[in-house]
Amino acid sequence: MELDKIKEILDKEPEEAVEDILADVEKRYGEVPYIINFMKDMPELFVSRMIYENSVMREFKRMDPKTVELICIAVASALRCEHCMKTHVRVAKRLGVSKEEIFDSILIASTISTAAVLAEGTRSVDAEFNESNSGLSNSNCAICNINSELPEED
């Protein structure tokens, strides 16, 4: 989202800014998704979230709207978010994305999801059964950065 547009939104009264954003969302999506509708009564959170979301998903020029929706569908599928899936499939359909293109994005997401499960699972099995594993594990969790200090089972 361009800085001038952000400044214009922030200069409005909160209720007016919310109304304008909701109208824009409905124009773009053809509906107002549940989360957006839920947050509309909290302007201080709603406006900042929508500015961020629009900056990331709608305003940059490197990807067309169909590609953005296919990515949304793939991620929603991988995360198993039924509500996001339904919304983004409807939006993609309105944009002219074919059923086959939508299915392809779901297939790609399932392949990556499966690979992620296999990558984590096989590394854990390998680490546990590795011959050179002695005493305490020294590996940090890549997500939480907590050092695992579980003793090796006898």
Side-chain angles (χ1 to χ4, degrees), residues 58-70:
R58 304 288 172 231
E59 296 297 331
F60 59 84
K61 308 298 183 222
R62 295 179 293 271
M63 284 187 230
D64 63 279
K66 290 181 180 182
T67 301
V68 171
E69 287 308 318
L70 288 169

Side-chain angles (χ1 to χ4, degrees), residues 67-87:
T67 301
V68 171
E69 287 308 318
L70 288 169
I71 292 169
C72 291
I73 290 167
V75 172
S77 178
L79 294 175
R80 296 182 179 124
C81 182
E82 178 184 353
H83 307 292
C84 293
M85 277 293 294
K86 288 178 179 180
T87 298

Side-chain angles (χ1 to χ4, degrees), residues 75-132:
V75 172
S77 178
L79 294 175
R80 296 182 179 124
C81 182
E82 178 184 353
H83 307 292
C84 293
M85 277 293 294
K86 288 178 179 180
T87 298
H88 289 287
V89 167
R90 282 193 304 267
V91 172
K93 186 177 174 186
R94 286 185 197 115
L95 290 172
V97 178
S98 71
K99 182 179 180 179
E100 294 77 17
E101 290 171 307
I102 291 169
F103 184 62
D104 288 349
S105 72
I106 294 168
L107 284 175
I108 292 166
S110 72
T111 300
I112 299 300
S113 295
T114 300
V117 169
L118 288 170
E120 282 301 309
T122 55
R123 281 179 174 81
S124 293
V125 170
D126 235 8
E128 186 61 35
F129 287 92
N130 187 347
E131 299 276 331
S132 66

Side-chain angles (χ1 to χ4, degrees), residues 10 26 36 40 51-52 71 74 81 85-86 92 104 116:
L10 294 176
E26 188 158 16
I36 294 170
K40 71 182 179 189
I51 287 171
Y52 174 75
I71 292 169
C81 182
M85 277 293 294
K86 288 178 179 180
D104 288 349

